[in-house]
Amino acid sequence: MNNQALYDLSYGVYVITTWSDGKATGCAANSAMQITSSPATIAVSINHDNFTNKCIQDTGVFAINILGENCDPQVIGNFGFKSGRDTDKFADYEPKIKNMLPVVPKASAYITCKVINKMETSTHTVFLGEVTDADVINDDKPMTYAYYHNVIKGKAPKNAPTYRGE
Amino acid sequence: MNNQALYDLSYGVYVITTWSDGKATGCAANSAMQITSSPATIAVSINHDNFTNKCIQDTGVFAINILGENCDPQVIGNFGFKSGRDTDKFADYEPKIKNMLPVVPKASAYITCKVINKMETSTHTVFLGEVTDADVINDDKPMTYAYYHNVIKGKAPKNAPTYRGE
């Protein structure tokens, strides 16, 4: 088996946000895909070890923040390589509130969702969210995971399915 | 709600293949993402109306064929805009057999999977497949859905979540 083939799947680069006891929190993710068109639903995959997983389970809502190619890589570092358990991830990024959910101000688009189903796996929860609101914030080209990896030379957080080790 | 934000999610371009009564069949798809890393699992979303959905339910196995940027667009036309109910989709594409599954000869990589779970939605089944084999066939750059849409000027099949109408 040549695992390199798995890295040929294409993804975007996102921050998935929600609330923790009334405070905005979130984590970086690349696994999100639209499932149905009417009503629009989207599946996102979040590691059990991510604090955001528990918060989505608690609140039943989340926002997908789409990052563009010109997004400051520090946004990914902030949301992808720290834990919301002991860090206020929005300390340097005053959230915009969209449809009652916190949105990362440097995102190029957002989609808010209400959880309507989920599938558990050994390490990740796949949340199925019905889209409740969506908008484009700026015209930056959506960042693909390949762009993040090859151009920005970014790495995958330890909890990502695409983590390749050191 | 601005649905344009939904089109800012990033995808690849794939053909999902399996067997129908011993004959190779398959359909185009853009919704596939890795869920866990060890054991590696991948979720793919297939419309209930796609013949391939029924065939995966019957066989419990499928292959993800990753298409590269230089893949002949007719491959997408063949697998995305015809139905396996009344068409032999492999008539012009003699399949390679990999780990007992048919692989599209013009794919740049393949991943074979065994279904271990699924989530039903109003229009699509999300199959969770454990990876049983994978390999890279050539070094073509994986085609993103944005590349297919913007460079090849391709359209989405009617059953795709990303279908935008005429």
Side-chain angles (χ1 to χ4, degrees), chain B residues 2-3 10 15 17 22-24 34 49 70 74 78 82 88 97 112 120 122 125 127 138 145 151 156 164:
Chain B
N2 179 359
N3 278 331
S10 296
V15 175
T17 53
K23 285 188 174 173
Q34 190 171 351
D49 292 341
N70 294 308
Q74 288 192 342
N78 181 73
K82 296 176 180 177
D88 175 4
I97 307 300
T112 63
E120 289 296 346
S122 56
T125 306
F127 293 102
N138 63 47
Y145 184 69
V151 180
R164 304 187 192 195

Side-chain angles (χ1 to χ4, degrees), chain A residues 109-128:
Chain A
Y110 73 86
I111 303 165
T112 63
C113 293
K114 178 180 71 172
V115 176
I116 59 168
N117 200 353
K118 64 178 179 174
M119 177 167 61
E120 289 296 346
T121 75
S122 56
T123 56
H124 289 64
T125 307
V126 181
F127 293 101
L128 182 68

Side-chain angles (χ1 to χ4, degrees), chain A residues 2 10-11 14 34 36 123 134, chain B residues 2 10-11 14 34 36 123 134:
Chain A
N2 179 359
S10 296
Y11 303 92
Y14 314 112
Q34 190 172 353
T36 66
T123 56
Chain B
N2 179 359
S10 296
Y11 303 92
Y14 314 112
Q34 190 171 351
T36 65
T123 56

Side-chain angles (χ1 to χ4, degrees), chain B residues 22-96:
Chain B
K23 285 188 174 173
T25 192
C27 66
N30 54 22
S31 296
M33 61 186 186
Q34 190 171 351
I35 303 295
T36 65
S37 60
S38 180
T41 62
I42 297 178
V44 300
S45 176
I46 309 282
N47 195 295
H48 294 158
D49 292 341
N50 276 84
F51 182 61
T52 301
N53 187 312
K54 176 191 176 299
C55 298
I56 295 174
Q57 307 264 11
D58 288 348
T59 61
V61 291
F62 62 88
I64 301 164
N65 298 255
I66 299 170
L67 304 188
E69 289 186 353
N70 294 308
C71 180
D72 185 343
Q74 288 192 342
V75 173
I76 302 168
N78 181 73
F79 285 94
F81 295 89
K82 296 176 180 177
S83 173
R85 276 187 195 81
D86 47 29
T87 311
D88 175 4
K89 293 199 182 178
F90 279 90
D92 297 329
Y93 303 96
E94 181 68 29
K96 300 180 187 179

Side-chain angles (χ1 to χ4, degrees), chain A residues 40-154:
Chain A
T41 62
I42 297 176
V44 299
S45 176
I46 308 281
N47 195 295
H48 293 158
D49 292 340
N50 275 85
F51 183 63
T52 301
N53 186 313
K54 176 193 176 297
C55 298
I56 295 174
Q57 306 265 12
D58 288 347
T59 60
V61 291
F62 62 88
I64 300 163
N65 298 255
I66 299 170
L67 304 187
E69 289 186 354
N70 294 309
C71 180
D72 184 343
Q74 290 193 339
V75 173
I76 301 168
N78 181 72
F79 286 94
F81 294 89
K82 296 177 181 178
S83 172
R85 276 186 195 83
D86 47 30
T87 312
D88 175 5
K89 293 199 183 179
F90 279 90
D92 296 328
Y93 303 97
E94 181 69 27
K96 300 180 187 180
I97 306 301
K98 300 288 184 184
N99 195 32
M100 296 175 287
L101 275 160
V103 165
V104 177
K106 300 195 173 185
S108 65
Y110 73 86
I111 303 165
T112 63
C113 293
K114 178 180 71 172
V115 176
I116 59 168
N117 200 353
K118 64 178 179 174
M119 177 167 61
E120 289 296 346
T121 75
S122 56
T123 56
H124 289 64
T125 307
V126 181
F127 293 101
L128 182 68
E130 183 171 326
V131 175
T132 53
D133 190 24
D135 205 0
V136 175
I137 298 171
N138 64 46
D139 61 1
D140 198 7
K141 194 175 168 188
M143 187 189 296
T144 63
Y145 184 69
Y147 183 93
Y148 170 65
H149 196 76
N150 298 329
V151 180
I152 301 184
K153 306 291 182 193

